[in-house]
Each structure stands twice: as C-alpha cells, then as structure tokens.
Amino acid sequence: MEEYCCYGYCVDMLVKLAEKVNFTFELHLTIDGNFGSYDRRNDSTKREWNGMIGEVIDGKADMIVAPLTINPERAEFIDFSKPFKYQGITILEKKGVKTSNLTSFLQPFENTLWGLVLFCVHLVALVLYLLDRFSPFGRFKLPQSDETEEDALNLSTALWFSWGVILNSGIGEGTPRSFSARVLGMVWAGFAMIIVASYTANLAAFLVLDKPQTTITGINDARLRNPQENFTYATVKDSAVDMYFRRQVELSTMYRTMEGKNLHSTEEAILSVKNGSLKAFIWDSSRLEYEAANDCELVTAGELFGRSGYGIGLPKGSPWTEKVTLAVLDFHESGFMEELDNKYILQESKACSTEENSPATLGLSNMAGVFVLVGGGIFAGVFLIFIEIVYKRHQMMKERELEIARAATDRWRGTIEKRKNMRRKAMIKNMQEHRGLHGPNGRMSAYPEKSTINSSPTPQPYQRTLSQKDIAGDKMIFKENLV
C-alpha cells in the first residue's frame, strides 16, 4: 500500500489523473508556501514569480495540482488546463448573536402597514358611527317595552367595537343596529381575521425561528467600501484574490485598506476571524463554504463575485496540457469531480445542521416588548382612573355649588315674595280701614241706622253720594300705600 504525504481533494484527483493519463509523479510542497505572486526579490528591479508558479517557471516542478485560481496574470507565464472546479469569491465572518429589542413582536409587519392598520381601525369606527346614526334603522324600541327607545351606536361604542374585532375580544354590547353598519362590521371582521392570521404566521417566523444573521450584506456593504477603524477585513497576501482587488479599479479603496492587513495563509486568516481580531475574511468560496459548514461559529455573507475556476498549472507549451485537459473534462462527465465535491467540500457538520434546523426557544428578550406593553396599559389605566376621579370630584363640586346657588336664589325669591305679600295685605287692610272710617275730605262721617218706620229711599239732609273726585282721591291714597 502506497503512502502519501498529503491527502484531500487535489491528491485524490492527482492519483486519478495519473491513472488516466498514464504518468508517475513525485509530490512535494512548495518551499515558501505561496501560490505565486509576481514581485521583486531581494530589492532587485527585476520582477519574478515566487511560490508554486515560480517553481514551474524555473523548472523545479512539472505540474501544479492545487486550488490554483486561473487569472490573466498567471496565464501569461504558465498554461492552465480546463477548470476542474468553478468557484467565486465570498466573505467569511463570525456569527453574531442576534439581539432582540423591545419591539420584536412588531417585526412581522412594516411600520407602514402598522400605520395603515391603526388608521383603518379608527376610520371604520367613524364610518360605523355615521351609518348607524343617520340610518332610519339605527334606533329601535326594545321588544318588551313600548316606551324605552335605545339610541344609535355612539362614537365611543363604535371605537370599542372596532378595536374588539381586530383584537379578537368578546363584544357583548355596542354592536351596530342598522343593516348598512352591520354589513361593514362583517367586512371588518373578515379583514381582521386575515390581518391576525398573517401576523401570527410571521411572528412565528421572526421569533420561533430567530437565527443569528450575517452583519455583512456583500461586497457592496458600506463598511467594506468605506473603511472604518473598528471594522477590519483582509485576504491572503500575494494570492489570486489579492490580484483581483488590485486589478479592479472600483475596488481600489478596499485594496488599499487590506494591503497592510493581509495575512500569510488561509488558516491564519480563519483563526483570526474566530478570535475576533479580523471581522471579515475574503477568499475563495469553495474553501470558505467548507469552513462554514463544519464550524458552527462561522458563516459566509453575501453573493459570490469575481467568479473564476481552479486549474492545473503546467509549464508554457507543455505537451501534457492537452491530455490533462481532456482528462479533467472526462472527470466532469463521469461524475468523479462531483464525488470529490460531496466527499470533501459539501460535507456539513451534524451539530451545526441540528442547531440550524431546530427552532429557537423564546425567552424574555424576545417577548419583553409585550410585557412592557401590558405594563404600559396598566399604568395608563391607573393614570386615567385618577384623572376620572379628579374630574368627577370637580364636576360634583360644580354641581354642589350650583345647588347651593339655586337654594340661595330660591330662598331670596321666597323672602321677596313673602315681603310683597305682606305689603300687599297691609295696603289692602289700610285701604279698607281708610275707606270705612274717613270721608272724602279726610273728616269723620257718621252713618245712622236706618229707620224701620220710614223706609223711604229719599236721602237724608246730612247724607250724600261719592263723587268722581272722591274716587280719584281714594286711588291716589292706594298708590301711595303701594309705594
């Protein structure tokens, strides 16, 4: 049984390639550990390739079997086979625990939708009130009494009905009376059923399945485009990804930001992401997806960009290039490359899979806003009851003052009427006494008794009838008494 220094995706492919093309090989790792970059060496003005590409150019190696990205800079000096794996560039970051705020229970709906629902609640209440008030069937008499008549739906009762329907609370009184208002009430009940069902379903998605999310949206994230001191990101120095950022003009700001922070190996960069010294690591998608699938603390963010492929490198003009290319294409057609993907890249940790698929347990941080809402309702109720008590006392004091004022007014009016009656009685009495005892000139008058013998109606010499002047004098005396 043969033993090899290395194992993995590329080693299995190399063994299969040697069998297919019929060649033998000796495998060794590159001395400096680099894929290859075109830089100056030892302060020389001449630029040379280092790493695996430098060894092929210098004749120290005949073939490069590694996740070597095909790009224009490398293709100018060496030949590449057809890509044995297609990939792109993505971003790796550490999962952050998603913090729930007090408004977590409001997340199922956007602010605009919440505003429209509140507006509809009050609008429907107003329309119900108007329909029931102006409808001829809005008032009706109770069946057991011909005298008692119930009023139409008032505005406060309409608001209670509208809120009761949307909150699915029992409504015993205050329902619409007219047919037109009841039709609107049924439509409102259907609207409330749909809104409540949608809210309940989305609330389960937001709270029960609440998982940590990535903080980076992708390559166009503002924190990547606009450098920040507390947010560091990097790639591997002198790698294909480094060349990609150097080549893209629109990414020049990101390249200058990463240039002094780039690390020497992929393993070092991934470890830096785990310990928090590096917020994001930009690298090949196949490697980062593998790391994220097997490490529950890591996650890839955003969509792929800078798509390219891995190829087998050979010296410029090598006779093996065409044979290796045909073998790679045959591997794709036969499904061998897919087997390698499933064996090494598409593996997923069972622990991470179980954690992702299991629903999150709701805690106080998720539902704290609901308890705050209940506390706010209790506080509002206590505050309003004090206002009601103060208002009722003020109203009772005003009513008491009005009663006192009415009683004082009634007593004053009674006293005035009593005095008037006493004056009137005294005046009448004085007038009667004056008319009975005094004559018209203020002198005493005597009226002798009538003779029983002589009953002649002829007046006596000392008697005379009252003239108009005497009557006028009596009226003047009566007026003086009134005054």
Side-chain angles (χ1 to χ4, degrees), residues 106-116:
L106 299 177
Q107 289 180 350
F109 290 164
E110 294 181 353
N111 295 334
T112 304
L113 186 56
W114 279 118
L116 289 175

Side-chain angles (χ1 to χ4, degrees), residues 337-384:
M337 304 308 299
E338 185 177 356
E339 293 177 3
L340 294 180
D341 289 341
N342 294 330
K343 181 178 179 181
Y344 291 104
I345 297 178
L346 301 180
Q347 287 183 345
E348 187 172 359
S349 174
K350 294 183 179 180
C352 296
S353 177
T354 304
E355 181 182 351
E356 291 293 332
N357 296 328
S358 61
T361 303
L362 294 180
L364 179 61
S365 60
N366 301 108
M367 303 301 293
V370 181
F371 292 96
V372 171
L373 185 64
V374 173
I378 296 174
F379 176 78
V382 174
F383 178 73
L384 290 175

Side-chain angles (χ1 to χ4, degrees), residues 11 14 19 56 117 173 214 274 300 354 358 387 401:
V11 173
L14 178 58
E19 295 176 359
V56 170
V117 170
E173 299 178 356
T214 59
K274 288 183 179 181
T300 56
T354 304
S358 61
I387 293 179
E401 291 175 358

Side-chain angles (χ1 to χ4, degrees), residues 1-65:
M1 182 177 178
E2 298 184 9
E3 295 182 0
Y4 303 98
C5 67
C6 312
Y7 71 96
Y9 187 104
C10 291
V11 173
D12 289 357
M13 183 183 65
L14 178 58
V15 173
K16 187 72 174 179
L17 183 63
E19 295 176 359
K20 182 72 175 178
V21 183
N22 193 19
F23 66 85
T24 59
F25 62 90
E26 292 181 2
L27 188 63
H28 72 274
L29 300 177
T30 182
I31 298 175
D32 55 10
N34 295 328
F35 288 94
S37 61
Y38 195 49
D39 294 325
R40 296 180 176 87
R41 296 184 184 179
N42 300 326
D43 298 331
S44 174
T45 57
K46 184 180 179 181
R47 300 177 63 186
E48 297 180 357
W49 284 93
N50 59 7
M52 291 184 286
I53 297 179
E55 291 187 10
V56 170
I57 295 175
D58 296 339
K60 298 179 181 179
D62 297 317
M63 183 183 295
I64 302 174
V65 182

Side-chain angles (χ1 to χ4, degrees), residues 138-204:
R139 298 169 180 265
F140 71 98
K141 293 183 178 181
L142 297 177
Q144 297 179 356
S145 177
D146 295 335
E147 298 179 356
T148 304
E149 182 176 350
E150 185 168 337
D151 292 337
L153 195 72
N154 55 39
L155 186 57
S156 62
T157 311
L159 281 172
W160 178 259
F161 173 82
S162 182
W163 276 107
V165 170
I166 197 70
L167 296 178
N168 197 21
S169 62
I171 304 173
E173 299 178 356
T175 57
R177 307 302 181 190
S178 64
F179 179 74
S180 57
R182 289 187 176 185
V183 170
L184 177 58
M186 288 187 293
V187 174
W188 176 245
F191 170 85
M193 179 186 65
I194 297 173
I195 289 295
V196 171
S198 302
Y199 172 80
T200 305
N202 284 343
L203 184 65

Side-chain angles (χ1 to χ4, degrees), residues 81-296:
S81 67
K82 291 295 182 181
F84 61 85
K85 180 166 183 59
Y86 294 92
Q87 51 88 41
I89 303 174
T90 189
I91 304 170
L92 182 74
E93 64 172 339
K94 189 176 182 179
K95 286 182 180 178
V97 179
K98 187 175 181 180
T99 57
S100 300
N101 50 29
L102 295 179
T103 60
S104 296
F105 68 99
L106 299 177
Q107 289 180 350
F109 290 164
E110 294 181 353
N111 295 334
T112 304
L113 186 56
W114 279 118
L116 289 175
V117 170
L118 293 177
F119 173 76
C120 288
V121 170
H122 296 86
L123 178 63
V124 169
L126 178 62
V127 176
L128 283 174
Y129 163 70
L130 295 176
L131 290 176
D132 214 51
R133 182 173 183 82
F134 293 103
S135 173
F137 303 99
R139 298 169 180 265
F140 71 98
K141 293 183 178 181
L142 297 177
Q144 297 179 356
S145 177
D146 295 335
E147 298 179 356
T148 304
E149 182 176 350
E150 185 168 337
D151 292 337
L153 195 72
N154 55 39
L155 186 57
S156 62
T157 311
L159 281 172
W160 178 259
F161 173 82
S162 182
W163 276 107
V165 170
I166 197 70
L167 296 178
N168 197 21
S169 62
I171 304 173
E173 299 178 356
T175 57
R177 307 302 181 190
S178 64
F179 179 74
S180 57
R182 289 187 176 185
V183 170
L184 177 58
M186 288 187 293
V187 174
W188 176 245
F191 170 85
M193 179 186 65
I194 297 173
I195 289 295
V196 171
S198 302
Y199 172 80
T200 305
N202 284 343
L203 184 65
F206 275 93
L207 297 183
V208 178
L209 300 178
D210 192 10
K211 297 296 181 182
Q213 301 293 326
T214 59
T215 60
I216 301 176
T217 59
I219 189 63
N220 294 320
D221 192 282
R223 288 169 295 178
L224 298 178
R225 296 286 184 166
N226 302 317
Q228 300 179 3
E229 294 182 359
N230 57 348
F231 190 86
T232 57
Y233 58 94
T235 185
V236 176
K237 185 178 181 181
D238 297 332
S239 63
V241 177
D242 188 26
M243 295 180 187
Y244 173 81
F245 279 92
R246 187 189 309 170
R247 187 169 60 248
Q248 301 295 326
V249 178
E250 65 274 11
L251 301 177
S252 58
T253 303
M254 295 181 61
Y255 173 75
R256 289 193 298 269
T257 303
M258 295 188 300
E259 190 173 9
K261 303 174 184 177
N262 288 337
L263 304 175
H264 294 87
S265 66
T266 307
E267 290 74 15
E268 183 183 358
I270 295 174
L271 184 61
S272 299
V273 173
K274 288 183 179 181
N275 59 32
S277 60
L278 194 65
K279 298 297 182 182
F281 173 49
I282 305 175
W283 192 242
D284 296 340
S285 59
S286 55
R287 175 64 185 275
L288 297 187
E289 288 172 358
Y290 171 79
E291 295 291 339
N294 290 273
D295 194 327
C296 303

